[in-house]
């Protein structure tokens, strides 16, 4: 994490702690900023005793200032909501467990457990939904190479979270590095890791050429995400058959 980002995170944590007092239970940093995945979102989880409109007013100006710095607003739960969220957000919870930094309060991940059934359901919903969103955005920007590149990088960051979820679903531990993650998801689902080469180079900070209008890198990326969706749709938790085998073509 860049030094100025660290400073912003600590200042935000201090502001929330002072404004919320005893209403603050936990403040957690998670996501790309902790994983050091390029310049991704600085994502935060905020858990409060009470989160009604009046309870949020003390932090309105601080959250507004935080979002003006181009950071996403924190996910805000009450403690009861958070404890009941394991069946709704297993992908996110397991991802937080693997890469997080406790900023203030108690660790909200202690004692939190998810199930493969819940993970399977959320993966099917999220992968299919994100694929539909990707197609719509792809249709809008494919003729603009620069916009296409921006879309692929932003989309890949989202799908890396889902890649980790898929690996957990099949009983594997996701590797921390994006290059290794793409390699393992390819071996598991049959998607082609080569379709992510431009994105991985871009995220690693290497100098890469801009994409061209209707660039084949964009086409290949979309095709592999479609294959991922097919794998998740056909995955069988009982192990009696998962549709297409990894590496097979249909």
């Amino acid at each position: 994490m860049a030094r100025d980002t660290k400073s912003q995170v600590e200042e935000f944590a201090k502001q929330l702690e002072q404004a919320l007092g005893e209403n603050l239970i936990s403040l957690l940093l998670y996501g790309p900023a902790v994983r050091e995945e390029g310049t991704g979102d600085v994502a935060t989880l905020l858990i409060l005793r009470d989160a009604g409109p009046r309870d949020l007013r003390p932090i309105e100006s601080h959250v507004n200032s935080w979002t003006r710095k181009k950071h996403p607003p924190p996910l805000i739960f009450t403690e009861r909501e958070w404890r009941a969220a394991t069946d709704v957000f297993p992908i996110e919870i397991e991802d937080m467990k693997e890469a997080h930094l406790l900023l203030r309060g108690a660790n909200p991940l202690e004692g939190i457990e998810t199930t493969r059934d819940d993970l399977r359901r959320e993966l099917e919903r999220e992968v299919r939904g994100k694929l539909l969103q990707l197609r719509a955005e792809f249709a809008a920007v494919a003729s603009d190479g620069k916009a296409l590149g921006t879309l692929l990088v932003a989309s890949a960051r989202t799908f890396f979270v889902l890649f980790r979820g898929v690996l957990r679903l099949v009983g594997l531990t996701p590797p921390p590095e994006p290059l290794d993650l793409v390699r393992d998801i390819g071996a598991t689902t049959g998607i082609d890791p080569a379709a992510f080469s431009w994105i991985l180079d871009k995220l690693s900070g290497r100098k890469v050429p801009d994409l061209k209008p209707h660039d084949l890198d964009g086409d290949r990326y979309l095709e592999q995400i479609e294959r991922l969706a097919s794998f998740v749709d056909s995955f069988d938790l009982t192990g009696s058959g998962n549709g297409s085998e990894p590496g097979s073509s249909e």
Side-chain angles (χ1 to χ4, degrees):
M1 197 189 325
R3 182 177 299 177
D4 60 337
T5 302
K6 286 183 180 179
S7 176
Q8 290 174 14
V9 168
E10 179 54 33
E11 179 64 21
F12 186 50
K14 185 183 299 182
Q15 290 170 342
L16 295 187
E17 182 179 39
Q18 292 174 349
L20 290 166
E22 293 185 358
N23 195 31
L24 188 152
I25 294 177
S26 303
L27 179 62
L28 193 80
L29 179 70
Y30 68 95
V34 181
R35 294 181 182 277
E36 302 290 349
E37 290 177 358
T39 56
D41 286 342
V42 181
T44 49
L45 169 70
L46 176 62
I47 300 179
L48 305 177
R49 298 184 192 282
D50 299 294
R54 292 184 179 180
D55 303 301
L56 298 178
R57 282 175 191 154
I59 64 171
E60 286 176 356
S61 63
H62 303 310
V63 174
N64 182 269
S65 176
W66 176 251
T67 57
R68 287 204 307 271
K69 295 182 176 74
K70 308 301 182 183
H71 302 311
L75 292 177
I76 302 176
F77 288 80
T78 65
E79 187 174 25
R80 177 179 295 180
E81 289 168 343
W82 175 247
R83 293 292 170 183
T86 56
D87 60 335
V88 182
F89 302 113
I91 297 172
E92 295 81 358
I93 289 172
E94 291 301 326
D95 220 47
M96 289 178 189
K97 284 183 176 182
E98 287 187 358
H100 66 271
L101 177 63
L102 183 63
L103 299 174
R104 294 292 190 279
N107 189 341
L109 299 170
E110 289 185 358
I112 294 290
E113 299 294 337
T114 63
T115 70
R116 288 183 77 213
D117 284 335
D118 292 333
L119 178 59
R120 166 70 174 77
R121 280 191 290 270
E122 192 191 5
L123 274 171
E124 185 172 9
R125 181 176 67 250
E126 287 296 312
V127 171
R128 182 60 60 181
K130 293 299 188 294
L131 169 59
L132 295 177
Q133 179 182 347
L134 173 62
R135 279 187 183 142
E137 295 177 352
F138 185 89
V141 304
S143 61
D144 181 337
K146 185 175 181 180
L148 178 61
T150 299
L151 170 63
L152 295 192
V153 170
S155 170
R157 285 199 176 104
T158 296
F159 276 101
F160 286 172
V161 176
L162 301 178
F163 286 1
R164 290 191 286 269
V166 171
L167 292 178
R168 294 186 196 105
L169 183 67
V170 301
L172 300 176
T173 299
E177 295 299 325
L179 180 63
D180 298 330
L181 177 66
V182 170
R183 177 203 63 207
D184 287 2
I185 201 69
T188 300
T189 67
I191 70 174
D192 183 7
F196 297 81
S197 296
W198 184 89
I199 295 168
L200 291 169
D201 285 345
K202 184 77 171 178
L203 287 173
S204 70
R206 295 190 184 95
K207 190 171 183 178
V208 294
D210 290 338
L211 297 184
K212 300 179 178 64
H214 302 111
D215 201 295
L216 287 178
D217 279 335
D219 294 355
R220 285 191 287 263
Y221 175 77
L222 178 55
E223 289 166 357
Q224 299 316 304
I225 297 303
E226 290 171 343
R227 292 199 71 178
L228 176 74
S230 295
F231 176 87
V232 172
D233 285 347
S234 63
F235 186 81
D236 183 358
L237 279 176
T238 67
S240 60
N242 296 332
S244 59
E245 291 296 323
S248 68
S249 60
E250 296 183 0

